[in-house]
Amino acid sequence: MPKSSLPRQVVPFLISQTLDATGRQVFLLAMIWLVTGVTHSAGRLGVFFALIELPYLALLIPAGTWADRTDRKRLALRFTAIRVLVLACLALGLRLAHVPWLLVAGFAVVQEATTAIVVPSLSPWMMSLVDADLFGVLNAWGQTGSQAATVLGPAVGGFLVSLVGIPGAVGFAAVMALTALVGRTLTPRPRTSGEAHARRERGFWAGWRFLSQQRGMLYMVLFFSLTNGLNNVEAVLVPVLSRSLLHLPAWQFGALATGFGGGAIAGAWLGVRVDQHARRRIPSILASMIVFGLTIVAMGAAPNVLWLAAAYVVAGVAFATGEVASSTLWQRMIPDDRRGRVLSTMSTLARAVNPLGFILAGWLGVVVGVRAGLFIGGAAIILLTGLLTLVRAVRQLDSNPLQPRVDPVA
């Protein structure tokens, strides 16, 4: 029988992840409302999203190398503390003076840079605290916490923006980052570390070398890169659709966005059921992507808030089901001593198209309209997923995920 209970030592970590994710959701909603309120432009909102995506592309790979060469807990604590200070300074600045939206974007870039440095430490740290047969359960709990934050964060953010303004919402995000810092402090250090091995390997090239020998994984990462870029039509155009076409207030848009998190909580546990009982994970990953593309098309057709809310719920189910299945597959294939570098390399490649995707989404909103832009983005995701099903190396990923064949790196 598969195990389903987690050791108590991971509880502070999971709580810290949920709090951190909640703060980031509140911060993101506040930034969306600030930029759309000042610029009234889908194009400029796309530029804002592209700017805050750049730190991930620049830092994830070196941060993954760093995570494998140092104490992962110490690294995460230091940069979480920096994030607390950045958010506190931005909240104070917004309270005391009028800050141009581009300067706000600069603060957001620094805040995202600290997150990008911390992220590669978190998954290896978390996975080192449990046995391999609990990876799927741990991913499901992680997704549950993350999506609970997606439920709470936008609603809380919209309420705070309406009640105390954008500075108050950013201040709340700073408090959430501080509580996340406390939770990570209480979490035990990783049981294993790649520190000794990492010194002998060639920096972040270890991540690329692993992927180059696992063609199916590489093709999947490139696929996610393209679909992530196309998915950005939702991030850019749905806020404009909600505010400019459906005329929703901040609190209602925040409440609307919680539907995604609610659906994702259900999807996370559907994903863990697939992990524990299904013999093949790739079909569920690809099916979830097709459903996700269909929901973006449905968002473009939304005549009212209820329709849009239903689309968000289904999108959340599809996203989390595929996320749990793919995350568990990758974690079982990647050795612990390279996990930070390989996952950061994968994340960087998967996000490589995002800045262009955000700009493309804004351009589509200006040139063809918000609704047509959503139709185009969703249809393109469905088409790409259909093409990926024809790739043999991807279909073979389910064959033997526990023992990857990788040549040793000198």
Side-chain angles (χ1 to χ4, degrees):
M1 289 289 293
K3 294 182 182 179
S4 59
S5 60
L6 295 175
R8 292 180 182 178
Q9 63 183 356
V10 304
V11 173
F13 187 95
L14 293 172
I15 293 174
S16 73
Q17 291 292 84
T18 302
L19 294 173
D20 199 33
T22 300
R24 292 186 68 197
Q25 289 291 329
V26 170
F27 176 78
L28 182 60
L29 187 137
M31 294 300 96
I32 289 173
W33 220 247
L34 186 150
V35 175
T36 55
V38 171
T39 68
H40 304 284
S41 168
R44 290 184 182 179
L45 184 59
V47 170
F48 174 81
F49 277 119
L51 287 174
I52 65 175
E53 185 68 17
L54 292 177
Y56 288 93
L57 297 182
L59 295 173
L60 272 180
I61 288 179
T65 304
W66 196 1
D68 283 345
R69 289 184 171 181
T70 190
D71 185 311
R72 289 163 178 162
K73 178 174 180 176
R74 183 169 63 243
L75 178 65
L77 293 182
R78 286 178 178 176
F79 283 91
T80 303
I82 293 173
R83 181 166 176 262
V84 173
L85 293 175
V86 170
L87 289 170
C89 289
L90 178 57
L92 184 62
L94 290 170
R95 176 65 66 188
L96 297 179
H98 171 73
V99 183
W101 76 272
L102 278 175
L103 183 56
V104 172
F107 272 93
V109 167
V110 175
Q111 189 266 157
E112 291 298 305
T114 62
T115 303
I117 292 172
V118 169
V119 163
S121 299
L122 299 181
S123 180
W125 181 8
M126 178 174 65
M127 292 300 154
S128 76
L129 300 177
V130 301
D131 297 329
D133 57 355
L134 284 174
F135 281 4
V137 177
L138 186 55
N139 281 324
W141 276 112
Q143 277 293 310
T144 298
S146 175
Q147 301 311 327
T150 307
V151 172
L152 294 173
V156 172
F159 175 76
L160 289 172
V161 168
S162 298
L163 185 66
V164 297
I166 292 171
V170 176
F172 178 86
V175 173
M176 289 294 97
L178 179 60
T179 53
L181 178 63
V182 173
R184 289 169 183 167
T185 301
L186 297 175
T187 301
R189 294 189 181 280
R191 291 191 309 191
T192 58
S193 172
E195 188 173 354
H197 296 284
R199 290 196 189 99
R200 295 198 298 267
E201 295 189 353
R202 299 170 185 171
F204 63 82
W205 287 109
W208 174 254
R209 288 197 57 170
F210 183 93
L211 284 178
S212 68
Q213 295 169 15
Q214 299 287 336
R215 254 183 221 183
M217 288 181 69
L218 182 59
Y219 293 154
M220 285 291 290
V221 171
L222 296 178
F223 163 75
F224 285 135
S225 181
L226 292 174
T227 55
N228 285 342
L230 292 167
N231 175 49
N232 290 330
V233 297
E234 178 270 325
V236 174
L237 298 183
V238 171
V240 179
L241 172 69
S242 301
R243 189 166 192 176
S244 300
L245 299 183
L246 299 181
H247 307 291
L248 304 182
W251 69 267
Q252 197 167 20
F253 174 69
L256 169 70
T258 64
F260 182 93
I265 291 174
W269 290 102
L270 176 60
V272 79
R273 295 286 292 180
V274 170
D275 175 69
Q276 291 181 337
H277 300 288
R279 299 185 63 181
R280 301 180 64 83
R281 295 180 181 87
I282 293 300
S284 66
I285 296 171
L286 299 181
S288 71
M289 289 303 302
I290 291 175
V291 174
F292 194 73
L294 288 171
T295 61
I296 293 179
V297 173
M299 289 176 186
N304 54 52
V305 66
L306 293 178
W307 179 300
L308 201 54
Y312 264 116
V313 171
V314 178
V317 172
F319 171 82
T321 302
E323 186 72 10
V324 169
S326 60
S327 295
T328 304
L329 187 61
W330 307 152
Q331 287 155 354
R332 290 182 174 180
M333 293 184 70
I334 304 169
D336 177 74
D337 63 340
R338 300 179 201 174
R339 196 169 284 142
R341 280 160 292 172
V342 175
L343 289 177
S344 61
T345 299
M346 292 176 70
S347 295
T348 300
L349 291 173
R351 302 177 78 135
V353 181
N354 272 6
L356 291 177
F358 286 125
I359 293 172
L360 173 64
W363 179 81
L364 286 173
V366 172
V367 174
V368 302
V370 170
R371 294 186 183 277
L374 289 165
F375 293 153
I376 292 171
I381 290 173
I382 296 168
L383 176 61
L384 284 173
T385 307
L387 293 175
L388 192 66
T389 62
L390 305 177
V391 180
R392 183 179 179 183
V394 171
R395 297 197 305 268
Q396 291 177 334
L397 276 173
D398 282 309
S399 301
N400 187 16
L402 295 179
Q403 298 188 19
R405 297 181 59 185
V406 182
D407 296 333
V409 182

